[in-house]
Amino acid sequence: MNILVTNDDGVNAPGITALATALRSLGRVAVVAPDREQSAIGHAITLHHPLRADQIADDVYAVSGTPTDCVNIAIHNLLDFKPDLVVSGINRGANMGDDVTYSGTVSAAMEATLMGIPAIAVSLATAGEGSNYDAAALFIRQLAQQVIKQGLPPDTFLNINVPDLPRGCLKQPIITRQGKKQYQGAIVDKIDPRGRQYYWIGSIDPTFEEIEGSDYVAVSRGHISITPLHLDLTNYASMDILRSWELSTQS
Ligand code: MN
């Protein structure tokens, strides 16, 4: 089995090290990841300047770009194999609910899915630096074997959120839906040393809606959350409503 591992926390983050170490018992693992933190970069791709990829160990590359850049450069240029699976993570901090749209971790898995390669994004739901990456990595090793064996539905990848708990304390995995975060004012609004106003988007302890079956609820109860995501964002239910509008090029 050939696996590509990437992330958005940077090639030296503890999460990616734990993940790659656990997956190496399944086959060949190549790590191609940003050379620095790229969290909240979303699905950005670098078009306006060249990128460098430095090999820093056997099958480990540091790329001066985004997670999406990493997946592209890995598959098209760096690797001498096509991966059977792409795993992105383990992110420091959860990627649940609406936050998945900001996530570089999730976007790397999205990019692999666009290329037709099965993909998993995995995040450790921690408010701090995270303590239990190894426990999450062991679960992902098991899940990776299942994904290779069973395949994934078309256009679908898995977004995994693991509570930051020791292995023996993790509750069974639950298949979940994307939940809803409750937004609170978290933007710092101050005056800089030159007397000019600045804004700094922060994050405060997230609160979430108690939607039964959601990723947030599962993780808050100590379960591993598995959300199947797909890339087609079309809201099919709204298409008929919009078709009833009277729209014309003639008026
Ligand atoms: Mn991150």
Side-chain angles (χ1 to χ4, degrees):
M1 191 190 299
N2 292 316
I3 302 172
L4 170 62
V5 168
T6 190
N7 75 350
D8 76 358
D9 292 336
V11 70
N12 294 314
I16 198 169
T17 306
L19 180 62
T21 302
L23 293 177
R24 278 195 186 103
S25 63
L26 299 180
R28 183 170 168 196
V29 173
V31 174
V32 181
D35 61 3
R36 68 200 72 186
E37 178 159 0
Q38 296 279 351
S39 293
I41 200 79
H43 201 181
I45 189 163
T46 303
L47 299 180
H48 300 292
H49 59 81
L51 297 168
R52 309 284 179 190
D54 291 328
Q55 184 165 11
I56 56 176
D58 280 351
D59 277 338
V60 181
Y61 296 84
V63 175
S64 61
T66 68
T68 296
D69 294 333
C70 290
V71 172
N72 273 286
I73 292 173
I75 288 165
H76 295 304
N77 299 81
L78 296 177
L79 305 185
D80 56 9
F81 60 84
K82 188 185 175 196
D84 303 301
L85 177 70
V86 173
V87 187
S88 178
I90 299 167
N91 189 59
R92 176 170 51 81
N95 279 303
M96 301 190 285
D98 304 306
D99 282 349
V100 301
T101 61
Y102 304 112
S103 169
T105 305
V106 171
S107 294
M110 220 179 254
E111 189 67 10
T113 308
L114 288 172
M115 294 179 181
I117 301 169
I120 300 169
V122 53
S123 304
L124 191 70
T126 177
E129 291 301 309
S131 307
N132 296 284
Y133 291 104
D134 290 341
L138 285 176
F139 174 72
I140 296 302
R141 182 174 71 181
Q142 181 202 126
L143 182 68
Q145 289 171 293
Q146 284 291 318
V147 168
I148 295 290
K149 193 167 135 199
Q150 319 266 6
L152 287 172
D155 191 39
T156 302
F157 65 98
L158 302 181
N159 183 37
I160 314 302
N161 284 276
V162 183
D164 188 14
L165 296 170
R167 197 157 182 232
C169 301
L170 287 171
K171 292 194 193 152
Q172 68 186 70
I174 297 182
I175 308 301
T176 58
R177 52 166 289 184
Q178 256 183 282
K180 277 271 169 203
K181 189 158 111 173
Q182 286 170 338
Y183 285 93
Q184 302 172 32
I187 301 180
V188 171
D189 174 352
K190 289 191 172 170
I191 305 294
D192 75 13
R194 310 272 182 282
R196 294 179 63 212
Q197 193 159 30
Y198 68 87
Y199 304 93
W200 198 331
I201 298 175
S203 60
I204 48 180
D205 286 346
T207 54
F208 55 89
E209 294 179 24
E210 285 284 339
I211 300 167
E212 205 53 41
S214 71
D215 45 15
Y216 280 114
V217 167
V219 166
S220 73
R221 294 176 185 167
H223 291 277
I224 296 173
S225 165
I226 302 178
T227 312
L229 296 179
H230 65 162
L231 303 182
D232 182 352
L233 302 181
T234 311
N235 181 345
Y236 289 94
S238 73
M239 290 175 77
D240 279 342
I241 297 168
L242 291 169
R243 284 188 184 115
S244 74
W245 292 11
E246 287 179 20
L247 298 172
S248 162
T249 55
Q250 305 304 316
S251 59

